[in-house]
Amino acid sequence: MSYPKTGNEVYISFSLSNTMLSGIGKGTITREEVSVDYLKELFNKYGVIVSAKPEQRKLLEKVNEVYDLNLDIPDNLKIIHLSEKNRRVVVISVQGLKRVNGSLLPQYSEEEFQEATFSFVKYYVQSRHYDDLVAENAKLKRELDAEVAWRTRECDI
């Protein structure tokens, strides 16, 4: 199974870094844990670009094996930058594996891989800042309240 090339692909990675966000400017990022079924639908709609180091190949293979995501396994790390076109990044969270200074190790034994569990978190970038959205929402609520008050007023005749 191959995912489409849309120009609006979803990135997937084992980490999230500030460099991924460098081209965004002022905006709002939402975060949500997502299911594998949701990811399959998302990838089928938008496509997917995998950003992983070559030493994470076995981790990607394990994710593909366990969840049937059919992710391409790149030979080289693809540096990703979120943008207006590519607004989504899914971070594969790995639990149960040893780390050094918070980073995954380059290699694990088969026994260690058997202990690994995975979850998925989607980050979505909006070009509008949260404060601007809140202010707009408050303005719209005031206008709606004024309209409702006008339409439901009682007139003395």
Side-chain angles (χ1 to χ4, degrees), residues 53-59 94 96-100 103-114 116:
K53 298 174 185 172
E55 59 265 21
Q56 294 170 325
R57 177 180 201 83
K58 288 197 63 95
L59 282 172
V94 183
L97 292 178
K98 292 186 291 187
R99 296 171 185 264
V100 172
S103 296
L104 293 167
L105 302 176
Q107 279 187 274
Y108 293 98
S109 68
E110 269 313 307
E111 294 79 30
E112 290 173 311
F113 270 120
Q114 296 307 316

Side-chain angles (χ1 to χ4, degrees), residues 106-124:
Q107 279 187 274
Y108 293 98
S109 68
E110 269 313 307
E111 294 79 30
E112 290 173 311
F113 270 120
Q114 296 307 316
E115 298 297 316
T117 59
F118 304 93
S119 59
F120 305 92
V121 178
K122 180 186 82 171
Y123 294 86
Y124 179 77

Side-chain angles (χ1 to χ4, degrees), residues 17-25 80-82:
S17 69
N18 283 333
T19 57
M20 292 177 181
L21 307 171
S22 61
I24 296 300
I80 58 176
H81 296 283
L82 295 176

